[in-house]
Amino acid sequence: MKSDKMKSGIDRAPHRSLLKGMGYTDEELNRPIIGVVNAKNESIPGHIHLDKIAEAVKSGIRMAGGTPIEVPCIGVCDGTAMNHRGMNYSLPSRELVADGIESMAEANAFDAMVMIPNCDKIVPGMLMAAARVNIPAVMVSGGPMLAGRQKGKTLDLTMMFEAVGSVRAGTMSEEELYEMENHACPGCGSCSGMFTANSMNCLTEALGMGLPGNGTIPAVYGERIRLAKEAGRKVMEVLEKGLLPRDIMTRKAFENALTLDMALGCSTNSVLHLPAIAYEAGIVIDLEIVNTISARTPNLCKLSPAGLHHMQDLYEAGGVPAVLKELASRDLLHLDLPTVSGQTLSEMIERAQVLDHDVIRPVDKPYSSTGGIAVLRGSLAPDGAVVKRSAVALEMMVHQGPARIFESEEDAYQAILSGQIKKQDVIVIRYEGPRGGPGMKEMLSPTAAIAGMGLDKDVALITDGRFSGATRGASIGHVSPEAMAGGPIAIVEEGDMISINIPEGRLDLLLGEDELKSRMEKWKAPAPKVSHGYLGRYARMVTSANTGAVLK
């Protein structure tokens, strides 16, 4: 066992004395040491209850003959960090999660790990760490939040952000807004739509690193506790078999995850995270494969913000295994791959069935014949940009309009709220990319304000930053190269015409080649917004969004 180098032999008597100082017995120290990486904190509703999940995991480990050792992990709530300086730290925190777990796993010589995330950057950060450290590992999330209810109406976080725009537009009172905020998030769990957290927890099942139900069993259900106990038991089986994360997270597994991504209509952030996880596993996932898989994968689900359904609806309809079963019927998946369940993917979904075809469309009657995410290229985004196609109004699939230029999210948000944005406008927010932000801020506030003011069928928003999984509308992010790296988005001027054609995968700045070249030659990079501390280091090391914004 790997932990023997920490606890076995005469030379390790000092080490054992320290462990015994915490109450560990000889019997416990003779067993495999299983790290339980718990991201519990009191700043994220998706993580407030993870202490209960951790206790269940530890029970499962003990039942199966292991010794759990719980260690902490940081986490940022993208909702409360939204639209202020805190959001600069959200994406960079993914790297801190991975680095922290690597440090704890190696320093403590864990034989295996169970990792307990729930929200946004914590899930991909943990998967990155699993691939990097490459010891047996199982993921078990805290589960999704139930949707809120008020006066017979279903509520979620997207609606809260959009309601702010409605108040500003005069179509909702502040009293109504206050009542909504008291009901939209009824308890613990990751926010109730197909936002980034739930997207990544669902994709973890397709990757083979989470048990069936990981992405959809609601946080408040007893079944979630049972799943956590089973995860603790399963990690001991995975350890006994010597099945490593890189044995599971192969290129074919990532193709399965991307296929599920397209069928579910996941957050565009998944296209940022899957390449980063793959990078740690020694696999290159580029944007071309995203479009290739999207072109052949039907969009079977429209969960909030793309539709009216929420995570508990997907759970009750059969969950991720049922969606995978539909995809398998069209031979869209690699089914012979191992998973932490101890079964192949084929065996894992064999008994699954769709229980509600309103939530999970039949594969031959999809919402669309192509996937929920599209990668756009053109003179404005030579290296690609990403849009959640399934959440774009039909009227905005093809659009042309004048650029409205903003050098920060905050400036654009205020312009939207003050009524400066008109129909046909194409809002351009730049210098918010991985390097320029720094940190590639997630921008739900401006997109929600546009929707709340009734402009989501008339106005597009383009940025080298990124969007929340809760965003809907013609919101195109991840424009690469970013402005800070001298991408064409840096030289767009007020009033320039921009053409968007999502069906054809195009995003173009309508300038002649000579004018484009002339502006590019005159462009000079501005001074970095931050040059010290973690964000300063991050800005100097981070790569483009089209490569997953990994650090090199």
Side-chain angles (χ1 to χ4, degrees), residues 179-476:
E179 285 303 310
M180 282 185 69
E181 77 177 63
N182 286 333
H183 294 90
C185 298
C188 66
S190 48
C191 295
S192 57
M194 188 53 76
F195 311 150
T196 304
N198 292 324
S199 294
M200 294 307 303
N201 283 322
C202 287
L203 298 184
T204 299
E205 292 187 46
L207 276 175
M209 291 296 293
L211 298 175
N214 180 69
T216 59
I217 299 171
V220 294
Y221 285 14
E223 188 179 353
R224 175 59 58 178
I225 299 297
R226 298 200 300 272
L227 183 76
K229 290 178 181 177
E230 185 64 9
R233 288 198 329 106
K234 284 295 182 184
V235 77
M236 298 304 295
E237 292 183 15
V238 173
L239 174 61
E240 184 178 356
K241 292 177 180 178
L243 187 61
L244 303 178
R246 292 192 187 186
D247 299 328
I248 297 171
M249 290 192 285
T250 62
R251 183 171 187 82
K252 288 183 177 180
F254 282 101
E255 290 178 5
N256 284 346
L258 283 167
T259 301
L260 177 65
D261 191 335
M262 300 307 161
L264 289 176
C266 288
S267 163
T268 53
N269 283 315
S270 62
V271 182
L272 197 65
H273 299 319
L274 287 175
I277 300 163
Y279 173 78
E280 297 292 351
I283 298 166
V284 176
I285 299 292
D286 59 31
L287 294 184
E288 288 307 314
I289 193 174
V290 174
N291 266 352
T292 299
I293 291 176
S294 182
R296 70 187 185 218
T297 306
N299 179 211
L300 304 182
C301 302
K302 276 190 179 289
L303 279 73
S304 178
L308 299 177
H309 299 129
H310 290 82
M311 292 305 295
Q312 71 243 47
D313 300 313
L314 180 59
Y315 163 74
E316 291 167 5
V320 168
V323 180
L324 293 173
K325 187 78 171 284
E326 281 292 312
L327 295 170
S329 71
R330 186 70 70 83
D331 294 325
L332 292 170
L333 298 172
H334 305 288
L335 295 173
D336 59 343
L337 304 184
T339 72
V340 294
S341 71
Q343 301 174 307
T344 63
L345 188 66
S346 177
E347 293 167 335
M348 195 174 80
I349 66 174
E350 184 177 358
R351 299 176 63 185
Q353 58 180 315
V354 177
L355 303 176
D356 188 341
H357 280 295
D358 288 335
V359 179
I360 303 172
R361 288 275 185 94
V363 74
D364 57 350
K365 295 181 181 178
Y367 284 103
S368 67
S369 60
T370 55
I373 291 177
V375 174
L376 312 182
R377 293 184 186 274
S379 60
L380 189 54
D383 292 341
V386 181
V387 63
K388 188 170 184 172
R389 172 167 42 194
S390 60
V392 178
L394 184 62
E395 296 89 332
M396 293 299 293
M397 297 296 282
V398 178
H399 180 79
Q400 186 171 308
R404 301 296 309 279
I405 307 300
F406 300 94
E407 310 297 338
S408 71
E409 176 197 8
E410 291 81 2
D411 290 346
Y413 185 56
Q414 291 305 316
I416 295 165
L417 294 181
S418 61
Q420 297 178 41
I421 303 302
K422 309 300 181 186
K423 292 183 178 182
Q424 294 297 120
D425 283 351
V426 178
I427 300 169
V428 176
I429 305 177
R430 61 191 179 195
Y431 294 104
E432 291 287 15
R435 191 189 308 177
M440 201 180 183
K441 289 193 297 186
E442 188 173 271
M443 303 185 204
L444 178 56
S445 293
T447 59
I450 288 169
M453 298 178 80
L455 293 172
D456 56 300
K457 295 182 180 180
D458 303 289
V459 171
L461 197 155
I462 297 172
T463 181
D464 54 5
R466 61 193 178 92
F467 295 113
S468 166
T471 287
R472 63 185 174 96
S475 303
I476 301 167

